[in-house]
Amino acid sequence: MSRSRNRLILEAEAEAEAIKVKGEATAFAVEAKARAESEQMAKKADAWREYQDAAMVDMMLETTPKIIAEVAGPLCKANKIVMVSSGSGDVGASKITSEVLDIVAKIPDVVKQLTGVDLAQSMRVTSRPTAV
């Protein structure tokens, strides 16, 4: 009886150890999988962030000529423009051109105030060279 009792105890201890090892292996696998999924999600988030910035820059580059056309449009319809100058600075066509460009230059600030999106920052971030 003592032999069978010892054998039963050894088998129970071996089974307990096997369950413990299997549990540790499962826990390790779950942890490794979670870590890999976390890294994958971080990479996806970075990719989306870069895509968002690039899409915003693309949109800005696509819409800027349209905005300039809308700003300059009323000038094209004018039959006559009378300009008064104090004699300092630009005069004539260069004055009109500089004023249109001043309006266009303010567009990123207006977009930021209206939407919270900093187009200038997005363009700087997107145009940064990436390490290979």
Side-chain angles (χ1 to χ4, degrees), residues 66-88:
K66 294 174 186 174
I67 294 169
I68 293 170
E70 290 296 320
V71 169
L75 293 173
C76 295
K77 294 177 184 173
N79 291 330
K80 182 178 179 182
I81 298 174
V82 177
M83 299 190 71
V84 178
S85 174
S86 64
S88 62

Side-chain angles (χ1 to χ4, degrees), residues 18-38:
I19 291 171
K20 177 183 169 190
V21 168
K22 184 177 179 182
E24 288 173 351
T26 301
F28 180 78
V30 168
E31 181 184 357
K33 182 179 177 186
R35 193 177 311 116
E37 287 174 353
S38 173

Side-chain angles (χ1 to χ4, degrees), residues 87-109:
S88 62
D90 293 334
V91 292
S94 64
K95 177 68 174 171
I96 294 172
T97 303
S98 69
E99 289 193 11
V100 169
L101 291 175
D102 287 343
I103 293 168
V104 172
K106 293 176 184 175
I107 291 172
D109 290 333

